[in-house]
Amino acid sequence: MPDIPVGGQIFDLIFHPHESLVFTGLLSGEVKAFGYDDQGKYESKFTVRPSKRSCRGVGISEDGSQLWAAGKGKALHTIDTATGVVIDTRAAAHDVAINRVKRLLPHLLSTGDDDGVIKLWDPRKKDAIRAYTHHFDFISDFLWLNDAKQLVSTSGDGTLSVIDVRAKKTEPFAQSEYQEDELLSIVPIKGGKKFAVGTQLGILSIFNRRNGWGDCVDRIPGHPQSIDTLCNVPSYYPSSHSTILSGSSDGLLRAVQLFPTKLLGVVADHGEFPIERIAVDRAGEGRWVGSAGHEEVLKLTDLREVFEDENEDEDGDGDGEKVDGSDSEDGEDEDAKKTQQNEEDANPEEQAEERDADSSEDEEAVLERKKRKRKDKDPLHAAKKTKRRNEVEAKASFFANL
């Protein structure tokens, strides 16, 4: 599909959950809607400017009838998606610019601002239900855990937190330790058992829900620049439980498989422009992925062109190596799992020291590569010879030629 020119820099995008419609929030404060079809044709549906300040975040209702927009103007606007008319405005919803908006439940909405404040809203009420102030830097992303009714947020303060929306207290259910880097994006993998978090240094930090939210259990280097946005691939792809789409500041939208770790392909190239947001249509189950950078166009890419040979690759491709320890494939022998878990429980201090050592070496390796600017080396290889528990092994083809 050809690029859709929008006439301004896109800060956020979201698809209608059931129809072929995409909504974009622009630097100019405008919200623009476009329709598209499978033949590559598109048309403008409406343009509305609820604020003269930039629109940084957009969210949509479960049935797609209402769109929420927020940004530098600090207000929360409600837009009718059928008419493109602003039907409600909550002025001064936050004290500073709002960075993210996400629908959680039919009558529950979350917003996060530049000071790290998170607010929960009932769209039927004028005032916020609760406000949380445990973060002290911008809220970069939200993830909703429907089974536990918990909201996970990532922040520029280097931590992620978990909020139980059913609790009346204004303290988080859990908050991670400082990760020594800005956390920019988050996406579930392995059926929601684990979570991949994108960072400023280009490292994917892996959190294991079973182990709690205190610290990451793995760190996967490889992206040459910051990982600003992440999303899942549709569930009908065979490896969807371990495959994610990543948008980086180097302008490349990649399809990456984890455990074993390998690059499946480059989905879209925005050139020298950083990628701000990516999303898959039809509530994440469609064929089109939208990506937005700073070049004032919305790219819609057909995922079938990327994954059409995936089954073939899985049968005969050996580019990726499995990761040792608890992050091997879910189908591994149960006895081996139990034995390994017993060993970990018996030596918790030793395991923690080894994980900390691996994390430190990974960071040093990434910083050293950036300093030298050597693109001919494998970005997934740390500068060490011995294989440790959380170390990722991959052939030199992993990010070659990118």
Side-chain angles (χ1 to χ4, degrees):
M1 178 177 287
D3 299 342
I4 301 178
V6 298
Q9 179 183 329
I10 302 173
F11 271 121
D12 200 6
L13 69 96
I14 196 166
F15 287 93
H16 192 285
H18 314 300
E19 300 177 12
S20 297
L21 292 172
V22 60
F23 306 92
T24 57
L26 308 184
L27 176 65
S28 62
E30 294 174 309
V31 175
K32 292 189 176 184
F34 299 90
Y36 58 92
D37 59 24
D38 292 344
Q39 284 68 48
K41 296 180 181 179
Y42 63 88
E43 62 176 343
S44 176
K45 292 295 185 180
F46 67 77
T47 298
V48 61
R49 193 180 186 186
S51 173
K52 295 182 179 179
R53 313 297 292 273
S54 62
C55 177
R56 296 186 181 179
V58 289
I60 196 165
S61 61
E62 187 175 20
D63 61 2
S65 62
Q66 293 184 341
L67 186 76
W68 294 286
K72 197 171 183 179
K74 309 173 188 177
L76 180 62
H77 308 279
T78 305
I79 302 170
D80 187 316
T81 58
T83 62
V85 175
V86 178
I87 57 177
D88 183 52
T89 295
R90 292 172 175 81
H94 282 251
D95 294 332
V96 297
I98 302 172
N99 201 45
R100 295 295 284 163
V101 180
K102 187 173 182 63
R103 177 190 61 82
L104 311 180
L105 294 169
H107 300 298
L108 190 63
L109 183 72
S110 65
T111 55
D113 67 26
D114 278 356
D115 282 350
V117 176
I118 298 171
K119 289 189 177 183
L120 299 181
W121 304 83
D122 184 336
R124 301 167 297 182
K125 300 178 180 179
K126 197 69 177 177
D127 297 325
I129 300 173
R130 281 186 294 278
Y132 303 84
T133 59
H134 51 276
H135 288 295
F136 61 84
D137 207 344
F138 68 95
I139 302 299
S140 56
D141 204 3
F142 283 133
L143 174 67
W144 173 242
L145 304 179
N146 192 55
D147 59 343
K149 298 299 183 286
Q150 294 175 339
L151 175 65
V152 184
S153 61
T154 56
S155 172
D157 64 12
T159 70
L160 65 77
S161 67
V162 183
I163 294 172
D164 188 340
V165 301
R166 298 167 297 184
K168 295 183 178 181
K169 61 182 181 180
T170 56
E171 296 178 358
F173 170 77
Q175 187 168 10
S176 75
E177 299 174 0
Y178 174 54
Q179 299 297 298
E180 300 180 356
D181 195 6
E182 293 181 357
L183 306 186
L184 304 179
S185 49
I186 184 170
V187 71
I189 57 175
K190 296 292 184 181
K193 297 177 182 178
K194 299 180 181 180
F195 303 88
V197 177
T199 67
Q200 183 68 33
L201 288 178
I203 295 173
L204 280 171
S205 296
I206 307 299
F207 284 78
N208 191 324
R209 190 173 180 180
R210 182 185 62 186
N211 293 357
W213 299 95
D215 199 3
C216 63
V217 296
D218 282 289
R219 296 166 63 84
I220 303 176
H223 290 75
Q225 295 183 32
S226 63
I227 307 170
D228 298 328
T229 178
L230 295 168
C231 78
N232 294 106
V233 300
S235 62
Y236 53 79
Y237 288 114
S239 61
S240 61
H241 66 286
S242 60
T243 301
I244 61 175
L245 301 176
S246 65
S248 177
S249 291
D250 65 355
L252 294 181
L253 171 55
R254 298 173 171 88
V256 181
Q257 180 177 307
L258 303 175
F259 312 127
T261 305
K262 63 180 178 179
L263 175 72
L264 299 180
V266 174
V267 179
D269 187 352
H270 287 256
E272 60 183 7
F273 299 100
I275 298 178
E276 290 284 347
R277 293 285 185 266
I278 55 177
V280 176
D281 69 343
R282 306 285 175 172
E285 295 298 324
R287 57 176 284 195
W288 298 101
V289 57
S291 56
H294 291 183
E295 70 271 48
E296 301 186 357
V297 299
L298 171 65
K299 286 183 179 290
L300 292 182
T301 308
D302 191 348
L303 287 173
R304 296 181 305 180
E305 298 178 1
V306 179
F307 294 102
E308 59 185 1
D309 297 326
E310 182 180 359
N311 291 336
E312 215 174 281
D313 292 341
E314 286 185 348
D315 292 337
D317 190 5
D319 284 347
E321 298 291 337
K322 286 188 177 181
V323 179
D324 269 355
S326 61
D327 299 304
S328 58
E329 287 298 298
D330 290 340
E332 72 183 281
D333 185 79
E334 288 298 321
D335 291 336
K337 279 187 178 181
K338 292 178 181 178
T339 301
Q340 179 184 332
Q341 186 63 40
N342 291 337
E343 292 175 356
E344 292 177 1
D345 293 341
N347 301 283
E349 296 182 359
E350 181 180 347
Q351 295 292 339
E353 292 176 359
E354 184 177 356
R355 183 170 64 250
D356 292 342
D358 285 346
S359 300
S360 177
E361 291 179 10
D362 284 342
E363 289 182 353
E364 293 174 1
V366 172
L367 292 173
E368 184 64 17
R369 280 195 302 276
K370 282 191 173 184
K371 184 177 180 181
R372 296 184 191 175
K373 296 183 179 179
R374 291 183 179 175
K375 296 184 179 180
D376 56 336
K377 285 195 174 185
D378 178 13
L380 288 183
H381 248 308
K384 51 190 177 187
K385 299 297 182 181
T386 56
K387 180 175 179 296
R388 297 181 183 270
R389 176 175 175 270
N390 291 331
E391 183 180 347
V392 174
E393 293 181 355
K395 291 186 178 179
S397 61
F398 185 79
F399 277 101
N401 300 321
L402 297 183

